[in-house]
Amino acid sequence: MIELTVAWVRALPTGVRWVSILGLIYVLAFALQPGSWLQLPVTFIFLAACPGLLLIDWMDFSEVVVGITMVIASSLAVNILVTVVLAGTGTYSPFTGMVATISTTLALTYVSYSRKRLIDHAFLPMRVS
Amino acid sequence: MTVDLEVAEVTQEDQPVKEDPKRYLIEAGDRTYTVILERTEGPRRHPTNAAAIRRRHVALVTLITLVALIALPTISPGDLGVLGLASSLPLFFYLALGTLLIGFAFAASFHADRPILAAYVVGTATILHGLSPAVYEYLRYPWAWKHVGVVDFIQRTGGVDTTIESLSAYHNWPGFFSFNAVLTDLGGVDTAVWFAHLAPIFFNLLFLGALYTLFHRFTEDSRLIATGLMFFTIGNWVGQDYFAPQSVAFFFYLVIVAILMRWFLTGRAEIGSVQRRAERPLASLILITVVAAVTMTHQLTPVMMIAMLAGLTLLGGLRAKWPLLATLVITVLWLVTFARPFVAEYIPRVIADLSNLGGRLDDGLIDFGQVDTSQKYVSMGTRLLTASVLGLAGLGFLRQFRGLRAWRQAAILGGTPLLLVVASSYGDEILFRAYLFILPMAALFAAALWFPPKVEPPGWMTTGTLTAALVSLSMFSLVAMHGNDIQQIFTGDELAAATYMYDTAEPGSGVIQLTNSYPTKFKNYDNLKELDVATFSQAARERFLNDPSYWFERWITEEKFNDGFVLITRTQRAEIARQGTLPAGSVDFILDELRSAPAFEVLFDRDDGILFLLRKGSG
């Protein structure tokens, strides 16, 4: 069972793995101990990193600094677009904010995972031959 | 430092030679040998030694940075000297900063190792831009408090009001505020003040990341890149890195430039590979997302983006036209839809301002005849710093521009911000904004003076002159960044007085203040309208000083405020003294008049903040 889990986790794209870890920490910090001092930094890291992390598998960032910069820029940009829609339509609330940002990240996770599976599938015959 | 040694000569001697450090005595059996050791041309940097050197440098920088910031005492406005915070910092802070700058100059001259250079740049940025949160108890800058207030508005009302009278630009470009509303709510804190004071460190580190990505496009030389980053960190004094929309918009601007230069430049200047071309579709998606985010965040930065894109498209070899067209379309769409209320109201003012270039330039510089001595020193410091950075950049460009890859694009990026000064209606801030957008390329050109591309590693002369330049510029930078802090930082009394007012004011109330320098509009801000005495004409201020309580009462009555407050704080007093807005002794006179006026009631009275309320039925 553990081996299967490890194999499944290893098969995930790097960005999805990181987002899963950060998301788990985020849920723990937010749901299990609301109001703890960890909640603010963990929320910040989640918002400023997760959507962009899902893009790093798609590009070749030989420089770590370049990769981190692109991750933060795209994360902030995606979250700004989502929250402007909420504030602009007058539907912002803590609940809608949370649902919107987490849904966006989950949607990007699905896209990233699907892309990885597509690539793996496309290259499988080459590996066998 | 490790030196590779080998045995050059072995001789048998009767007497040991202790005074020569190169000679060692070795006993073997019944014989004693003198071993003479000489330096050889062995491998200069053994991998293990390089890693050890790197670890030592990084540990040293981390230790110095942390100790310097943690050991700093809390500084109150009363502790500030003639040059503001710069004349109040303890000696060990300057020693720490000096050590980092000397260490950087040495490392850049003799160890072109990226992690080592990066450590010094990050350490210096943290020490310089982390000063405010390290020494001040409360958030610096009145404007930062206003931005907290807009976040509070979104949290309370669930949206923005594009037709609101006060701070309407923020409601028409709400990206920064809506994001921070989510962060505040999900982060489990009641106000954005909790994290707003860390913004300068955060944004400056982001700027460095984006600039590294950009500079890497012009040169592979890590010394040149790192020195450019160092000049940017030291030269970034204009205060556009605090909790504000323009900070995140500037970061996005740098990222957009970096994406264009990395993935979209074609022709002779292209350094792309098959991989890079394959990444273009995703880079395009990120580019469009970031452009859209900028358009929703700040009103000025899209103008800069369009100017930069036009320059690169027309003159800089950017063959893809769609980034310029897409940016134009997104910006215009935003202006004619979401931001239409703001645009309709302000277009006439923009057109009027465009014809007044001379007036804008004059407004941006203070009048030395009107301000006090301290303000004069600070202004001279900022002008010297700005002129030095731009002067070094000019020299560097003239001497070394052909050594840079894509130098034409670099010149376009450095030159287009000048259009801002000619074609904008941004009042007196425009010179600072233009400088900020010029600074990235100016920093790289200035660095090229010391580390010309494609030239052999430099020696001690480079170390010495670079140290002198960095140390002297950083001293000016401290004066420029923190010289006016007496007008920009607050005490607990001031915050308590303002909090009391915003907590108790009914909707439709108003406050008359001498200036807007205090923790202002940070909560329930839409309940209160503000009137600033400092913005009145000279004649109106003179009339006001003849009978202050009468005029306060009259203004409050004419404006039909529900509750009419008068708030006078320490920072307002300091700003008036510095700027010469009112004659000396005026504030004490106004306070005496208000205390003795029967129409006014003292609601809150502490040393640094006094709040009056016009009694109901008066006026």
Side-chain angles (χ1 to χ4, degrees):
Chain A
M1 184 65 186
I2 293 172
E3 284 175 358
L4 264 177
T5 309
V6 169
W8 182 77
V9 169
R10 279 186 181 162
L12 289 172
T14 315
V16 175
R17 240 181 285 163
W18 274 107
V19 170
S20 308
I21 293 166
L22 285 172
L24 191 63
I25 296 170
Y26 177 66
V27 168
L28 289 175
F30 187 74
L32 298 184
Q33 200 182 1
S36 89
W37 66 270
L38 262 178
Q39 193 175 332
L40 180 61
V42 171
T43 303
F44 177 69
I45 293 168
F46 183 83
L47 292 177
C50 281
L53 270 172
L54 298 163
L55 302 174
I56 61 168
D57 295 315
W58 301 20
M59 300 180 100
D60 171 33
F61 294 122
S62 49
E63 293 279 344
V64 177
V65 178
V66 177
I68 292 174
T69 303
M70 290 299 154
V71 162
I72 295 177
S74 44
S75 296
L76 290 178
V78 166
N79 280 319
I80 280 176
L81 298 188
V82 171
T83 56
V84 163
V85 171
L86 294 178
T89 54
T91 54
Y92 173 77
S93 70
F95 179 72
T96 56
M98 182 170 69
V99 169
T101 50
I102 290 177
S103 303
T104 307
T105 304
L106 285 177
L108 283 171
T109 308
Y110 178 74
V111 172
S112 183
Y113 182 64
S114 303
R115 181 182 171 278
K116 174 83 166 25
R117 284 190 64 192
L118 193 69
I119 290 172
D120 287 349
H121 189 69
F123 282 91
L124 192 60
M126 290 170 65
R127 283 181 195 160
V128 172
S129 63
Chain B
M1 187 165 62
T2 307
V3 178
D4 297 310
L5 299 168
E6 71 177 20
V7 176
E9 184 184 352
V10 180
T11 56
Q12 186 178 2
E13 291 187 359
D14 295 327
Q15 297 296 322
V17 189
K18 290 181 180 173
E19 64 273 11
D20 188 341
K22 288 184 180 176
R23 295 177 176 225
Y24 296 88
L25 299 177
I26 298 175
E27 288 183 7
D30 56 350
R31 292 184 174 185
T32 301
Y33 295 93
T34 298
V35 180
I36 302 172
L37 300 176
E38 287 183 359
R39 189 192 298 261
T40 66
E41 288 297 321
R44 286 175 62 85
R45 294 173 60 208
H46 190 276
T48 311
N49 294 340
I53 290 170
R54 184 182 295 168
R55 274 197 302 274
R56 263 178 254 154
H57 275 279
V58 172
L60 178 74
V61 171
T62 309
L63 186 71
I64 289 174
T65 307
L66 289 178
V67 169
L69 287 179
I70 292 170
L72 279 173
T74 301
I75 291 178
S76 63
D79 302 326
L80 298 177
V82 177
L83 298 177
L85 186 59
S87 48
S88 311
L89 289 167
L91 181 62
F92 74 80
F93 176 83
Y94 286 103
L95 289 176
L97 181 60
T99 308
L100 288 182
L101 295 174
I102 294 167
F104 173 79
F106 178 80
S109 303
F110 299 104
H111 299 284
D113 184 87
R114 285 186 189 183
I116 292 177
L117 297 175
Y120 280 105
V121 172
V122 170
T124 307
T126 308
I127 247 185
L128 274 180
H129 298 285
L131 259 180
S132 298
V135 300
Y136 297 137
E137 202 171 349
Y138 302 104
L139 182 63
R140 189 168 75 128
Y141 287 134
W143 281 100
W145 290 89
K146 290 182 186 180
H147 299 157
V148 170
V150 181
V151 175
D152 168 75
F153 182 96
I154 295 173
Q155 288 178 279
R156 278 187 293 113
T157 64
V160 290
D161 178 0
T162 53
T163 58
I164 199 168
E165 192 179 344
S166 178
L167 305 182
S168 59
Y170 298 149
H171 291 256
N172 285 270
W173 283 269
F176 174 79
F177 305 103
S178 56
F179 174 80
N180 279 293
V182 172
L183 178 59
T184 308
D185 279 329
L186 301 191
V189 292
D190 53 350
T191 165
V193 171
W194 276 94
F195 52 86
H197 67 288
L198 292 173
I201 298 181
F202 174 69
F203 282 121
N204 275 286
L205 293 180
L206 284 189
F207 297 161
L208 290 179
L211 284 175
Y212 177 85
T213 311
L214 177 60
F215 287 174
H216 212 265
R217 181 62 186 80
F218 296 108
T219 177
E220 292 289 333
D221 187 343
S222 52
R223 299 164 308 164
L224 179 54
I225 293 173
T227 310
L229 295 177
M230 191 61 108
F231 273 115
F232 176 86
T233 292
I234 293 173
N236 184 17
W237 65 267
V238 288
Q240 299 296 317
D241 52 5
Y242 66 109
F243 185 72
Q246 59 264 36
S247 306
V248 73
F250 183 63
F251 167 62
F252 282 153
Y253 170 84
L254 295 177
V255 168
I256 289 166
V257 177
I259 290 175
L260 289 171
M261 297 296 292
R262 188 181 174 92
W263 279 284
F264 291 95
L265 206 62
T266 54
R268 280 175 57 203
E270 184 180 14
I271 58 163
S273 58
V274 175
Q275 168 75 21
R276 201 150 290 174
R277 279 195 286 277
E279 289 169 354
R280 258 182 214 155
L282 184 62
S284 306
L285 183 66
I286 296 177
L287 182 71
I288 288 293
T289 310
V290 176
V291 165
V294 173
T295 309
M296 296 173 182
T297 300
H298 194 230
Q299 61 272 45
L300 176 70
T301 311
V303 178
M304 262 316 304
M305 281 194 314
I306 290 167
M308 173 269 294
L309 277 162
L312 286 179
T313 306
L314 298 174
L315 307 167
L318 191 68
R319 287 191 185 161
K321 304 284 185 294
W322 70 262
L324 173 62
L325 292 174
T327 306
L328 272 170
V329 168
I330 292 171
T331 306
V332 171
L333 271 178
W334 187 259
L335 291 177
V336 299
T337 55
F338 197 88
R340 193 177 52 187
F342 184 90
V343 174
E345 190 179 343
Y346 283 86
I347 278 287
R349 189 192 296 181
V350 171
I351 293 169
D353 276 7
L354 286 177
S355 59
N356 184 27
L357 173 64
R360 281 203 304 283
L361 295 180
D362 287 344
D363 287 347
L365 302 172
I366 63 160
D367 178 5
F368 273 7
Q370 198 180 358
V371 299
D372 74 353
T373 314
S374 184
Q375 179 71 63
K376 280 179 197 166
Y377 290 148
V378 174
S379 296
M380 282 193 288
T382 56
R383 290 178 194 188
L384 269 172
L385 173 64
T386 308
S388 304
V389 171
L390 296 180
L392 290 173
L395 287 175
F397 181 73
L398 288 175
R399 278 192 60 196
Q400 311 295 348
F401 70 93
R402 289 198 182 277
L404 287 174
R405 267 195 319 235
W407 65 267
R408 198 154 45 103
Q409 287 79 5
I412 291 169
L413 292 173
T416 42
L418 290 172
L419 292 173
L420 271 181
V421 182
V422 182
S424 88
S425 62
Y426 231 66
D428 58 355
E429 273 190 55
I430 197 60
L431 290 177
F432 306 135
R433 299 286 171 97
Y435 171 74
L436 179 69
F437 283 98
I438 291 170
L439 185 59
M441 285 302 118
L444 186 65
F445 292 146
L449 259 185
W450 277 271
F451 299 104
K454 300 173 186 171
V455 173
E456 282 305 299
W460 284 104
M461 180 63 88
T462 300
T463 314
T465 52
L466 182 59
T467 301
L470 292 177
V471 169
S472 53
L473 288 180
S474 66
M475 294 301 112
F476 286 130
S477 185
L478 279 172
V479 173
M481 281 194 279
H482 295 286
N484 286 327
D485 279 2
I486 191 88
Q487 308 169 54
Q488 290 158 348
I489 63 166
F490 312 106
T491 63
D493 287 353
E494 290 176 90
L495 182 57
T499 304
Y500 186 91
M501 180 176 73
Y502 288 114
D503 280 343
T504 56
E506 296 289 329
S509 300
V511 56
I512 301 178
Q513 57 218 11
L514 300 181
T515 76
N516 64 1
S517 280
Y518 66 95
T520 176
K521 296 186 176 182
F522 60 94
K523 63 194 296 193
N524 307 325
Y525 92 87
D526 44 318
N527 285 350
L528 275 153
K529 188 179 173 184
E530 290 180 354
L531 286 180
D532 287 358
V533 174
T535 61
F536 296 170
S537 66
Q538 179 70 27
R541 276 181 275 162
E542 284 172 7
R543 273 202 310 274
F544 157 72
L545 281 177
N546 288 332
D547 193 350
S549 59
Y550 163 76
W551 283 102
F552 278 134
E553 197 177 325
R554 180 169 167 177
W555 288 328
I556 289 171
T557 310
E558 283 177 357
E559 291 285 341
K560 297 188 173 69
F561 290 149
N562 197 348
D563 289 326
F565 297 95
V566 176
L567 178 63
I568 296 175
T569 67
R570 181 210 63 81
T571 320
Q572 293 178 22
R573 187 192 284 265
E575 187 179 354
I576 284 169
R578 275 243 165 150
Q579 306 294 339
T581 321
L582 296 173
S586 299
V587 179
D588 288 329
F589 171 69
I590 293 167
L591 280 174
D592 291 342
E593 286 283 300
L594 281 173
R595 284 183 199 280
S596 60
F600 284 94
E601 174 189 359
V602 178
L603 280 186
F604 190 95
D605 191 353
R606 287 195 194 162
D607 289 346
D608 292 339
I610 303 172
L611 181 67
F612 298 92
L613 176 70
L614 182 69
R615 294 179 198 278
K616 300 283 183 187
S618 301

